[in-house]
Amino acid sequence: MNGIHGPAGLDERFLTRNGHTARQVAALLLGQGTDGAGARLPRVRDLAERLGVGNGTVQAALRLLEEAGAITTVARGHLGTFLVGSDRAVLWRLSGLGTVLAAMPLPHSRRFEGLATGLRTAFEEAGAPCAITFLRGAAARVAAVAEGRAELAVLSRSAADRLTGQQAVELIADLGPATYAGGHGLLLRPGITLGSPGLRIAVDAASDDQRMLTERLFAHRPDVERVPCSSLEPWEELARGRADATVWNLDEVPAQPEIQVLPLGDELTRDLAVRHASAALIGRTGEAGAGALAAVRGAVEWSTVTAVQGEVLRGERVPAY
């Protein structure tokens, strides 16, 4: 890029009025998916009206983007102006949109590590930097998105179905079966059977999925006692003799010969478990959803996330997030 560089290495031309408009246009081009050769650019007067500036300012902004190497265009008379090519990474940097921040569960399993690695890869391939933050509990991750502390939240499809109606968030993508968990099972400590009276069931208050599966599985058992987990994982409560049973994501349970693992029971519970095993991505709705995620959402290949996750699970890729 030619010209004198200002703060953070930004060409000082982008700190002028025309430059400010160029940065806004860059964000709009990212959001409208005009990233391939042959795409028609929005008309100058439409951009001017949307941004509240004059036609000349928009034309100057487009020239700045071309000079910066963000776009290459060709005019085709009354047909309009078309992209010959674009560099989404340059558009992203000039737009000032920052980094897409995704809130994920704690990376206790290789499946979650693969999911985090896949998300970073998919966003970076779309030209957007992505960072991962880890929050325990689906409700906490959804709240982070609704309050603007994160752009994206990862949770189970089951939790997404329950929580999206409670805040200004919406489903962005469902990544499909076994992307969130390989499966759930009933864990029992030695000497305990499912029919044992007065079962003490370890329940993690921060996990909506675990709590729902537990309630459904033991709905017909008035004799069971719910034992809240503190700082321990549920299976650790079993190992210490503080609880007799729990339901948990089997990806996260270390091999412990003394703990019995049983499949979940009735068909309805198994159907719920399938939805608990599918990863869902949640973002903000409406005007609140404008920002980094909105700008790149149409360009992200969600299939890349699951492909990379599969490579991590098979040991073909080292997790990097």
Side-chain angles (χ1 to χ4, degrees), residues 207-296:
S207 174
D208 293 329
D209 293 329
Q210 194 252 2
R211 188 171 62 253
M212 173 175 275
L213 284 171
T214 300
E215 291 301 325
R216 185 60 61 93
L217 188 60
F218 293 100
H220 64 292
R221 292 283 301 272
D223 62 314
V224 302
E225 174 189 354
R226 274 70 172 174
V227 178
C229 296
S230 54
S231 59
L232 298 177
E233 299 290 0
W235 65 87
E236 293 176 313
E237 299 284 4
L238 272 61
R240 297 192 178 198
R242 298 175 184 175
D244 302 313
T246 192
V247 176
W248 201 248
N249 175 359
L250 297 180
D251 289 335
E252 302 182 31
V253 180
Q256 297 187 33
E258 67 276 12
I259 293 181
Q260 307 171 68
V261 180
L262 301 179
L264 297 181
D266 59 85
E267 291 297 331
L268 182 57
T269 302
R270 282 199 290 271
D271 177 65
L272 281 173
V274 169
R275 290 193 290 121
H276 284 292
S278 298
L281 307 180
I282 300 299
R284 287 190 297 280
T285 58
E287 289 299 318
L293 177 61
V296 77

Side-chain angles (χ1 to χ4, degrees), residues 86-111:
S86 68
D87 187 324
R88 292 189 68 89
V90 176
L91 281 171
W92 190 272
R93 178 171 57 81
L94 295 177
S95 72
L97 287 167
T99 299
V100 176
L101 183 62
M104 278 201 57
L106 302 179
H108 288 325
S109 70
R110 183 53 64 95
R111 197 173 306 271

Side-chain angles (χ1 to χ4, degrees), residues 153-239:
V154 179
L155 53 158
S156 74
R157 179 58 192 267
S158 181
D161 290 343
R162 295 195 308 276
L163 296 172
T164 49
Q166 301 175 18
Q167 307 213 45
V169 296
E170 64 180 354
L171 180 69
I172 301 296
D174 183 330
L175 299 182
T179 52
Y180 193 78
H184 292 78
L186 175 65
L187 311 183
L188 297 169
R189 74 181 176 88
I192 298 296
T193 67
L194 187 56
S196 298
L199 283 176
R200 297 170 298 162
I201 310 300
V203 179
D204 183 356
S207 174
D208 293 329
D209 293 329
Q210 194 252 2
R211 188 171 62 253
M212 173 175 275
L213 284 171
T214 300
E215 291 301 325
R216 185 60 61 93
L217 188 60
F218 293 100
H220 64 292
R221 292 283 301 272
D223 62 314
V224 302
E225 174 189 354
R226 274 70 172 174
V227 178
C229 296
S230 54
S231 59
L232 298 177
E233 299 290 0
W235 65 87
E236 293 176 313
E237 299 284 4
L238 272 61

Side-chain angles (χ1 to χ4, degrees), residues 67-158:
E67 292 168 4
I71 59 174
T72 304
T73 66
V74 60
R76 295 179 181 169
H78 68 279
L79 295 177
T81 301
F82 291 77
L83 279 178
V84 175
S86 68
D87 187 324
R88 292 189 68 89
V90 176
L91 281 171
W92 190 272
R93 178 171 57 81
L94 295 177
S95 72
L97 287 167
T99 299
V100 176
L101 183 62
M104 278 201 57
L106 302 179
H108 288 325
S109 70
R110 183 53 64 95
R111 197 173 306 271
F112 283 158
E113 289 189 317
L115 192 52
T117 304
L119 280 172
R120 283 201 60 178
T121 302
F123 276 100
E124 289 170 359
E125 287 184 358
C130 176
I132 308 293
T133 185
F134 298 100
L135 293 174
R136 183 168 186 147
R141 295 192 293 276
V142 169
V145 170
E147 295 166 8
R149 293 181 284 113
E151 291 276 353
L152 189 72
V154 179
L155 53 158
S156 74
R157 179 58 192 267
S158 181

